[in-house]
Amino acid sequence: MPAQPSGSPAAAAPALPVLGGKRSSYRKRVADALRAALIAGELRAGEVYSAPTLASRFGVSATPVREAMLDLAKEGLVDAVPNKGFRVTEVSEKQLDEYTHVRALIEIPTTVELARTASPVSLEALRPAAREIVTAAAAGDLIAYVEADTRFHLGLLALSGNAHLVEVVADLRGRSRLYGLTALVEAGRLTASAQEHLDLLDALVARDERAVREIMTRHIGHVRGMWASHG
């Protein structure tokens, strides 16, 4: 079990997906799932998690999990703790505000521009991911929700043709924390929020720049609003 703060009860184990396939795919897939678990708050800041414990959740050996955690350590998302595992790094409210501000500066105008430049075929190719977000929200699967949300938004931004922009946003998204998702699931409100992705696609296909701007502004606002609230 993960190390717990002194005097606190053992936390429920995060519901991580069972992964399979070649070892070469383990590292990225495990890293993606771990990153999603960090963002959703299923792996909590300040706590130490061992590679063998996490590996048992994934149904893989400890080696690809340890390698994936080392990748996350390079990104500053966890710190290696000798002979124990990896501690999830703390993220301050100020840092989260700054990340969200930069994301808004990049993502909102870029997405609005796509209403003029992206082909309908390219946009419709993202609809399965948008539907997957809604499905994950309805099921209360936060890791699947975050993973699908990441694929959708990075895939959308990739239509701009600016790979560096996508890389910067991917890094900022990985550093975000959405601790309020659990409360939204319990209140039955996450599915309505997930619907925004389909609404955004509809507005983009319709070339409705004003609607795209409104949806994206509201969507980014959730990052430091209801998606971030600890309840």
Side-chain angles (χ1 to χ4, degrees), residues 1-211:
M1 293 295 294
Q4 303 296 325
S6 178
S8 65
L16 300 177
V18 174
L19 304 177
K22 298 179 180 179
R23 180 184 168 187
S24 60
S25 70
Y26 283 176
R27 185 168 181 160
K28 183 180 185 306
R29 294 181 66 199
V30 173
D32 288 345
L34 284 168
R35 189 179 292 104
L38 289 169
I39 294 170
E42 295 201 20
L43 298 182
R44 304 296 294 189
E47 294 191 13
V48 177
Y49 298 87
S50 71
T53 296
L54 291 175
S56 68
R57 310 273 197 269
F58 283 93
V60 299
S61 68
T63 298
V65 174
R66 188 175 292 107
E67 291 173 344
M69 293 296 273
L70 288 171
D71 289 340
L72 297 183
K74 292 177 183 177
E75 298 174 25
L77 303 181
V78 299
D79 293 320
V81 180
N83 303 317
K84 291 186 178 180
F86 298 86
R87 179 181 291 109
V88 178
T89 57
E90 302 276 356
V91 183
S92 71
E93 295 295 315
K94 183 176 184 296
Q95 286 175 309
L96 291 175
D97 287 339
E98 291 173 348
Y99 300 156
T100 305
H101 179 62
V102 176
R103 283 186 56 188
L105 290 175
I106 296 174
E107 293 187 61
I108 294 174
T110 301
T111 306
V112 170
E113 183 178 0
L114 290 174
R116 298 190 298 272
T117 62
S119 72
V121 172
S122 297
L123 292 169
E124 287 296 341
L126 294 169
R127 197 169 292 276
R131 290 181 178 137
E132 188 177 338
I133 296 168
V134 176
T135 299
D141 187 339
L142 298 185
I143 293 178
Y145 179 94
V146 171
E147 287 189 307
D149 180 73
T150 299
R151 289 199 313 275
F152 174 86
H153 285 286
L154 296 185
L156 182 60
L157 292 173
L159 298 181
S160 70
N162 189 329
H164 184 65
L165 179 151
V166 176
E167 182 180 345
V168 170
V169 172
D171 179 70
L172 292 170
R173 290 177 66 88
R175 296 176 185 279
S176 298
R177 296 292 179 268
L178 304 175
Y179 296 140
L181 294 184
T182 299
L184 288 176
V185 169
E186 294 172 351
R189 297 171 56 197
L190 187 58
T191 302
S193 180
Q195 179 66 36
E196 290 180 353
H197 298 83
L198 291 169
D199 295 341
L200 176 61
L201 273 184
D202 290 341
L204 284 163
V205 171
R207 306 298 191 190
D208 189 339
E209 295 180 34
R210 176 178 293 182

